[in-house]
Each structure stands twice: as C-alpha cells, then as structure tokens.
C-alpha cells in the first residue's frame, strides 16, 4: 500500500502529539510514578522512526540508534522509541508490533548494549479482550494506548531504585498496620527480611484503583480516544 499524500508528517507534529500524551495522560493521570521527574530533569528522549512505503525501520537499525543515543546521553533514563505508521501498515495490528519488539530485544542484547533496559510496547489499538473482565492486569491494555506504536525503554538501574523505594514504603505501611493490631507480631515482622514486591503489579493495582471503575474509567477512555483523533487530524490521515 502506498503512503497517503503528505506522509510522513513533520517530526515537530509527531513530537507535539506525544508530548501531549506524556503530560495529559501519563503524567496528568499519574500512570507512571517516575515519568514526570525523569522528564523535568531532561532524562527522557523520544527518537522517531517513521515507517514509509519505501522503508520500515529494522530491529538492528533501531538497536544501533538506541545505543548511540544512550552512549551520547548517559543521563537518559527513559527512551521512547516512537514509530509513526501510515494507514494499512502491518504494525497497525498489536501482535505484529509485539513481534518487532521481540526482534529488537534480540538485536539489542547482541550489540552488546552499553546498559540494560526493560522494554515494553505501547500501541493505539490495544484493547481488553471481550472475554476478559476488566482487572488491574487487563486495564494495562487501555493505559498503553499511545498515539503511535511506541517501545518504552526504562533504564534497569532506575527501575531497581524505584522498586527498592516501593519495597521500603510497603514495608513501613505494613509495619504501622501491624503495630496497631499486634505489637508482638509487628516486632517479629520488623526483624524479618521482606519480600520484594513486583513493582509493575503495584503500579497496576494503583492505576486500577484510580481509573478502573465507573466514571474514572470513562474519563480515561475519553481522554485517550480524543488524543488519538487529534493524532489523525494532525497527521492528515483522519
């Protein structure tokens, strides 16, 4: 399929719509506990890889550019690999883009990379399967609806620091609750080695509590849908 007239859009237009997604959705709804701090400190980077009829970015090409970026910007904590795609592109289907992510992980691990990143995909067409109830886990499919396919690369050291902070907070909270109920049990817990909670699960539960029910869920979906429509208008494909 040939590219539509005017494709690709200017990078400034692409960056502007993703800036809105970052500020209005991710930060505005507090979906990620460290997104705002990283952005305000200049540690978020968003390289753009536009797919066209003549060229699709390859996993090796993207991995090499990611390596160059993080070698040049050692302070980078979050890299948002952003892939604007024209109508009809294969990556309009989330499973196809997920296969690209798997190939990128393989290419990145073979460089060898200058550092470790955790990589997850975002996609405008993610949806909760109709046969699944809306839970903390399935809500993630709505929360990861981005204006274009995106691969979020989070520095492993940053995630480990946040995980330790979450672990400490959870331990303190549980200790306070136990002290109110059973001081002897609280003393025993204080001397124990605490388990490491899964950070992503903790974030998912908090997001579900804030946005997974009733009017809050409706507001979330309306905000994302409005931004996706704005994307299409700005790119000239809507």
């Amino acid at each position: 399929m040939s590219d539509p007239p005017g494709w690709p859009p200017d990078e400034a237009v692409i960056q502007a719509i993703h800036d809105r997604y970052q500020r209005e959705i991710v930060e505005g709804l507090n979906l990620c506990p460290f997104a705002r701090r990283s952005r305000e400190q200049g540690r978020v980077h968003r390289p753009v890889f536009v797919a066209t009829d003549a060229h699709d970015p390859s996993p090796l090409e993207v991995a090499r550019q990611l390596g160059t970026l993080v070698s040049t910007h050692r302070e980078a904590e979050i890299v948002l690999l952003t892939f604007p795609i024209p109508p009809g592109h294969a990556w309009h289907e989330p499973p196809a883009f997920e296969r690209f992510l798997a190939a990128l992980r393989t290419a990145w691990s073979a460089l060898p990379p200058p550092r470790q990143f955790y990589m997850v995909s975002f996609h405008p067409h993610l949806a909760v399967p109709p046969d699944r109830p809306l839970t903390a886990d399935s809500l993630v499919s709505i929360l990861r609806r981005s204006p274009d396919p995106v691969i979020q690369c989070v520095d492993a050291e940053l995630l480990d620091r946040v995980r330790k902070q979450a672990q400490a907070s959870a331990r303190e909270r549980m200790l306070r609750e136990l002290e109110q109920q059973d001081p002897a049990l609280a003393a025993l817990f204080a001397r124990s080695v605490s388990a490491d909670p899964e950070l992503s699960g903790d974030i998912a539960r908090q997001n579900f509590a804030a946005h997974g029910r009733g009017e809050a869920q409706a507001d979330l979906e309306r905000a994302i849908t409005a931004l996706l429509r704005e994307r299409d208008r700005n790119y000239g494909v809507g």
Side-chain angles (χ1 to χ4, degrees):
M1 181 175 293
S2 61
D3 295 333
W7 189 266
D10 291 340
E11 181 165 342
V13 173
I14 297 168
Q15 294 285 359
I17 200 71
H18 282 271
D19 280 341
R20 284 190 57 192
Y21 173 72
Q22 173 82 15
R23 294 170 185 264
E24 296 176 14
I25 306 297
V26 177
E27 296 179 13
L29 300 178
N30 196 31
L31 303 182
C32 177
F34 44 86
R36 185 188 301 273
R37 181 196 64 83
S38 292
R39 177 183 59 79
E40 290 178 344
Q41 293 181 354
R43 299 183 177 187
V44 177
H45 296 262
R46 189 186 300 112
V48 173
F49 303 86
V50 180
T52 67
D53 183 51
H55 176 71
D56 274 348
S58 71
L60 182 57
E61 172 190 349
V62 175
R64 285 174 173 168
Q65 290 198 38
L66 175 60
T68 299
L69 187 153
V70 299
S71 294
T72 303
H73 300 280
R74 296 299 303 169
E75 81 292 346
E77 293 179 337
I78 302 174
V79 181
L80 303 168
L81 307 172
T82 301
F83 300 85
I85 53 176
H89 191 277
W91 290 346
H92 269 277
E93 298 300 323
F97 188 63
E98 195 68 25
R99 289 192 290 273
F100 178 81
L101 168 58
L104 175 61
R105 287 184 178 129
T106 299
W108 178 246
S109 65
L111 284 184
R115 66 174 109 161
Q116 183 181 1
F117 281 95
Y118 295 109
M119 299 181 179
V120 298
S121 64
F122 289 61
H123 197 282
H125 298 145
L126 285 173
V128 179
D131 59 342
R132 287 190 62 187
L134 190 62
T135 65
D137 290 334
S138 62
L139 182 67
V140 171
S141 295
I142 299 175
L143 299 178
R144 288 185 181 171
R145 286 182 192 158
S146 52
D148 292 294
V150 169
I151 295 175
Q152 180 195 64
C153 307
V154 179
D155 182 77
E157 292 184 4
L158 167 66
L159 210 56
D160 288 342
R161 289 198 304 271
V162 175
R163 180 179 290 114
K164 289 177 181 177
Q165 292 169 2
Q167 178 182 356
S169 297
R171 181 181 173 86
E172 292 173 2
R173 183 171 60 251
M174 184 175 293
L175 185 57
R176 288 195 301 269
E177 293 173 356
L178 283 175
E179 285 174 343
Q180 295 175 0
Q181 300 169 16
D182 188 334
L185 185 59
L188 179 64
F189 174 78
R191 293 192 297 270
S192 69
V193 177
S194 60
D196 183 12
E198 187 65 35
L199 178 63
S200 59
D202 191 37
I203 294 173
R205 286 188 293 273
Q206 292 178 24
N207 284 336
F208 185 73
H211 308 292
R213 298 181 181 89
E215 192 61 26
Q217 178 197 343
D219 288 344
L220 168 68
E221 299 213 43
R222 278 194 293 266
I224 294 175
T225 298
L227 194 58
L228 294 180
R229 289 173 179 163
E230 184 73 12
R231 177 262 190 203
D232 288 348
R233 285 194 295 270
N234 290 353
Y235 288 11
V237 297

